[in-house]
Amino acid sequence: ALADAGDVPLAEAWLAQLTGRSGEGIDDLRRVLFDASMRTNDVACAEQQLALISSPDADRTQKLAEVLAESGDPERARAVLQSYVALGGPPSPEITTSLLSVCASLNDSSGAEAAAIAFAAVAELNDLHLSLLRHAVGDLRTEAIVLEQSFASGHPLSTDDGSELMADVQSNATSNARERLSVASTTSTGMRVPASRTSASKRSSTVSMVPTMTGPGA
């Protein structure tokens, strides 16, 4: 009632008396106080109440993370999102987008990679996810993550949805594979030789090793 009436500080003080107690009833009170705090722009109080809720809350996590990020505090936004993950919250597309975004802004490649892998385990990364991931970890690592998760899930890559980034991943992965094959065919002198010419060279070398018979009976 205090929170609904707009007296957030008094409601917070009253709820602080319940510190150490747990249960859905207490969590419900903390959710009410969180919502009241957000309405009055008391972000610090909202952040504290969300941290004390014992179960993951995707909607409130998303709202708070957006406010923190927009106010120029990506580190606190990342902490809020990672707390949600630590509580066992499912990696929704929105949560993943927010986490990838703040990790990219903080140059947190390991955090971005962890978020992408967690989401890719349950669904296909979308174009925005891939764009943010590329910004955080680079093109090659993004391609590797997509391919690794594709094999792990048993689902082939698909471009039926018109995903240009996914098509780029496939194209670049194919090009990289061809490049590795080409490098493998490089001669010891450092000259790159096509695979067909390398095979022909091997056959020629084999023939040249056969002793040449001269004289009678040759």
Side-chain angles (χ1 to χ4, degrees):
L2 291 171
D4 291 335
D7 197 343
V8 172
L10 185 56
E12 184 179 14
W14 178 81
L15 194 53
Q17 302 301 315
L18 302 177
T19 299
R21 299 185 184 182
S22 60
E24 189 59 30
I26 300 299
D27 281 351
D28 285 342
L29 292 174
R30 297 196 184 284
R31 293 186 186 100
V32 171
L33 184 52
F34 172 93
D35 295 340
S37 299
M38 293 294 285
R39 287 195 299 269
T40 58
N41 296 317
D42 190 344
V43 178
C45 179
E47 187 175 2
Q48 181 181 14
Q49 296 309 312
L50 184 63
L52 292 172
I53 295 174
S54 60
S55 59
D57 189 321
D59 290 340
R60 290 179 173 83
T61 296
Q62 182 69 24
K63 290 176 182 177
L64 180 58
E66 287 178 356
V67 169
L68 290 170
E70 290 171 1
S71 65
D73 203 339
E75 290 187 354
R76 285 168 67 191
R78 177 180 60 182
V80 167
L81 292 162
Q82 290 181 335
S83 293
Y84 167 85
V85 174
L87 284 173
S92 68
E94 296 78 16
I95 290 290
T96 301
T97 296
S98 294
L99 193 46
L100 286 172
S101 180
V102 295
C103 286
S105 69
L106 293 169
N107 295 318
D108 180 6
S109 58
S110 60
E113 183 171 332
I117 291 175
F119 183 80
V122 297
E124 187 174 291
L125 294 164
N126 61 36
D127 281 354
L128 182 55
H129 292 156
L130 290 171
S131 178
L132 292 168
L133 185 59
R134 284 182 167 185
H135 180 70
V137 304
D139 290 348
L140 291 179
R141 185 53 190 151
T142 297
E143 293 160 11
I145 291 171
V146 172
L147 290 173
E148 288 167 4
Q149 295 306 304
S150 176
F151 285 120
S153 65
H155 299 300
L157 295 177
S158 172
T159 56
D160 293 340
D161 60 354
S163 169
E164 294 182 2
L165 282 173
M166 189 64 77
D168 287 344
V169 168
Q170 290 178 292
S171 176
N172 290 338
T174 301
S175 297
N176 291 338
R178 289 174 177 170
E179 179 68 16
R180 288 193 293 272
L181 288 174
S182 179
V183 170
S185 300
T186 301
T187 65
S188 60
T189 60
M191 296 178 62
R192 184 168 294 172
V193 181
S196 59
R197 289 181 57 188
T198 302
S199 299
S201 177
K202 289 181 179 179
R203 289 195 298 271
S204 176
S205 298
T206 301
V207 171
S208 64
M209 293 175 64
V210 179
T212 303
M213 301 295 291
T214 58

